[in-house]
Amino acid sequence: MYKLNAVSLAVAATLAAASFPTLAQSDNSTLEKVVVTGSAIKRIDAETAVPVTVVKMDDLRKSGVTSVEQIMANLTSVQSSTNTAQSIGSSSGGASFADMRGIGADKTLVLLNGQRIANNAVDGSAPDLNMIPFAAIDRIEVLRDGASSLYGTDAIGGVINFITKSSYQGVTITGGYDSPQHAGGKTRSVNAGFGYGDLETQGFNVFGFASYKKTDNISGSQRDFNKRVVGGLSYSTDPANYTQDFEHYYNPTLPDCSGTQVKNVNGECRIVTPAFVDFQPKTEVYSGMLKGSLAVNKDLTLGAEVFATRSKVTTLVAPVPYGGYYINPGTAYYPTGNTNISGTFDDGSAGAPAFAPTSAFPNPVNVQPGFVYVLWRDFPNGSRAQMNQNDQQRLLLTAEGATLGWDYSVATSYNHNKVQQFLTGGYGDGDMIGEGLLEGIINPFGAQTAAGTKLLQDAALNGKLQHAIGEVYDVNAHASREFGDWFGAGRSTQLALGVEARYEKFKSVAEPDFASKVEVSTGVAPDSHAEGSRKVYALYGELNLPVLKTLDITGSLRYDKYSDFGSSTNPKLSFRFQPIKEVLFRGSASTGFRAPTLYELYGNPAFTNTAGNYANPITCPDGTTGSQCSAQFQVLNSGNPNLRPEKSQSQTLGVVVQPANNLSVGVDFWSVRLKDSIGAIPQFALFNNYANYPQLQQYFHPTGTGQLSVISNCPSAQCGYVDQTLQNLGKVRTNGLDFSTQYRLSSQIGAFDFALNSTYVNKYEFQDFKNGYWVSAVGQYGESGPVFRWQHNFATNWHYNDFGGGFVVRYKSGYVDFDPKAHPFVPSYTTTDVYGTWSPAKALSLTVGVRNLFDRDPPFTNQTDLFQAGGWDSRYADATGRAYYIRATYNY
């Protein structure tokens, strides 16, 4: 009986080298039963009632993959990802997340060997993919169906299970070097592993892996496409702007606006910041894993596993903006039209206008009548540099075996994640700099005197700003057994039962002494402190019923009880129908439940600015007439203890066909509906729907004159701001199709594997806020990012004797841009990778390759939602360009 592959392998390079798994067998007694991701029952069938993608790591490494982040970017079921590049200018702590189906990384459950690990401590949304011990991974199983009764009904988008080797013998060492054709971004990597003992013959095995990878940054000036600037405009310039009412801005270089990266925008001098923002941060990742197994007897195996990972991510952005600081009349650099700041201003006047205190901004303490506000950027101290150090550890103890007819598994684990944020350059003591501006020591309009230079040097600060810790304690057990052929189907009914107890806690605190000095430039309050904890208990069961020789029905039920959100019961029903050996039908339906994370409940309030430029809907209602018609305004981000859980409904329906021994074709329909989704109301929705939806007006907190602050971290009693506290938003509805095709050809010149995997999204629509309008995001930006109509991965892999090679083509369809009036359409994005392998000796293998062979730049987009603007979108494209790589592996 021949074989059929129904596993939709989404990473094309892996598909091209994968074997066809077994669909049907005449003699099941010769096959070992295994647990497939998504089920608690041990099975012989390679194809279950739910779609599972299996990714083999050996082939991925040949294709040049060096990180889990790269793997996730190539799965067609993953619509978007929060990657390391997006940590630039953000508060993610350098983390990388996967987002299956585009419904949120917090709804994609990430596991290591079937067990949870701690979520990223900074935002609590999901585990950081950089924390997975890359060198130890043997395969990845991706459950493309949601709400697993085994792992948790919070897996609404799906499950990604990273599975390490179960045992290993010998020694292996791999070294690699990646060199982009353009400047920056070089990568060096090395990993080594060892193993001793044979579990079957000696009764034990111990193995370990360690790895190190370092990647250089790509600066904002090292790619030509950075000239395609959109957004990233700021009033804080050098030479400085100054104002008194935050409506009229003056600059000594008007109308030319000849400062550093400054240009004239509608009669005002604005700095263009993307040139100072890294495309890719500098990263270092260390990881190690040690695993031991002991076969006590044929029915009991004990295991112990410990891993530790440290990730360091260093980001560079534009120098600190000191906006809203005061200059007193009579001081050296007060704007009075003297030689220091002479110029013609946008109102036609020469020198400075006559200033006097206003009711909106009354005299601060120690500031004289007639003061002005200055908006200056500290170029003397250079770009702001932050280093985020992320440490993850896990200890896992397991017992697996069989007794009284039951196969059982028991596991207990402790997971710890700590993220520390260090300021390593460019930051300064805001009080010292403010005093220097007030008293005329610092010149915000030109070159510094010796006194000004010394003050700025003395004000420079480096140190630890804050840290966050997340911990998870988990105990779980499940067992399964057969109960005979109840319906005469020729196969036994199977039952699995399980329990789980989990304790989570979270803590985030600032270093008060240091944070107080840099509060104005970081938005982190010195008294910032948030923490919380919860207990979760669960019971679940799964029953597989072979009701006919051709039909299996599986039902499962999970009951969860949260110490802070009550209880929830969620069922799942699936079927597997194989009318003939060449055809398989399958499907499932389930409900899901995700409680808010501890960070979402208790996250610290923090002020920052909008990512893009908007018009204040109060003072500039038509977007062009009035004041504050284009600026980055102050916003408040915060957790919310009043959040409610998210709830979902999911369905899948698929068919797999093998018309010939070497050809497999599969298609799976999927659908997800979500309500009470958790998030902040998008800035686009808040600013552009202020007049049409009165319920949005409650999130605007302007001054008495309707102004919003263009300064981050300005005291709310004095400056206006927009509230982006987390809320239960509206609904999300999405559905589509996953396709997989695989063909194998044997010839006199070697064996070829061809694979095409695609995801088609038919619908993706959501509500930005409760009872709001529906936004369609398929094939268009959709207010917060596009959902690609099509994603394809096509690969060919060839092998002949000691030689091999292949190529991979990845495609994302185009979409309507963020602002279609200015730029209608973002074109499709296609990249091609090629590689070759050679094994000159049994113990040695060499791989060389080129990623992005045709040096495709990210397509232009005018989105301004990300801090990292520059005319591209780091969520969907790679700034590296063409890159060459070499790998060498020695096995002993």
Side-chain angles (χ1 to χ4, degrees), residues 35 71 94 104 143 161 282 370 408 460 488 492 587 598 618 686 820 823 827 860:
V35 175
I71 299 170
L143 173 64
N161 189 10
K282 173 186 174 182
Y408 67 87
S492 295
L598 296 174
I618 303 169
L686 286 169
H823 182 253
F860 174 79

Side-chain angles (χ1 to χ4, degrees), residues 234-237 271 273 317-325 374-379 382 384 426-427 433 437 519-522 609 632 710-712 867:
S234 169
Y235 281 107
S236 295
T237 58
I271 189 173
T273 59
V317 298
V320 173
Y322 290 102
Y325 276 60
V374 63
L375 295 93
W376 175 65
R377 199 170 285 268
D378 184 9
F379 275 90
R384 283 170 285 174
Y427 290 89
I433 291 175
L437 290 166
E519 180 178 5
V520 69
S521 54
T522 64
N609 279 0
Q632 291 175 281
V710 297
I711 311 165
S712 62
F867 185 89

Side-chain angles (χ1 to χ4, degrees), residues 315-322 376-386 422-430 433 456-457 459-463 514 517-518 520-522:
T315 63
L316 292 174
V317 298
V320 173
Y322 290 102
W376 175 65
R377 199 170 285 268
D378 184 9
F379 275 90
N381 277 324
S383 295
R384 283 170 285 174
Q386 295 187 18
F422 298 88
L423 307 186
T424 57
Y427 290 89
D429 187 323
I433 291 175
L456 288 170
Q457 291 175 344
L461 289 172
N462 293 328
F514 185 75
K517 298 176 182 178
V518 293
V520 69
S521 54
T522 64

Side-chain angles (χ1 to χ4, degrees), residues 740-798:
S740 64
T741 302
Q742 185 172 332
Y743 176 68
R744 175 167 296 159
L745 174 66
S746 297
S747 71
Q748 293 181 347
I749 60 173
F752 293 85
D753 289 295
F754 303 92
L756 173 65
N757 293 268
S758 303
T759 293
Y760 171 81
V761 181
N762 174 64
K763 175 192 288 186
Y764 189 104
E765 57 185 13
F766 62 93
Q767 294 173 301
D768 283 323
F769 48 90
K770 201 75 171 178
N771 300 319
Y773 56 89
W774 286 94
V775 178
S776 177
V778 179
Q780 54 189 324
Y781 193 85
E783 298 192 2
S784 57
V787 170
F788 298 98
R789 178 75 71 181
W790 280 105
Q791 293 192 93
H792 305 298
N793 286 342
F794 174 72
T796 296
N797 190 33
W798 164 77

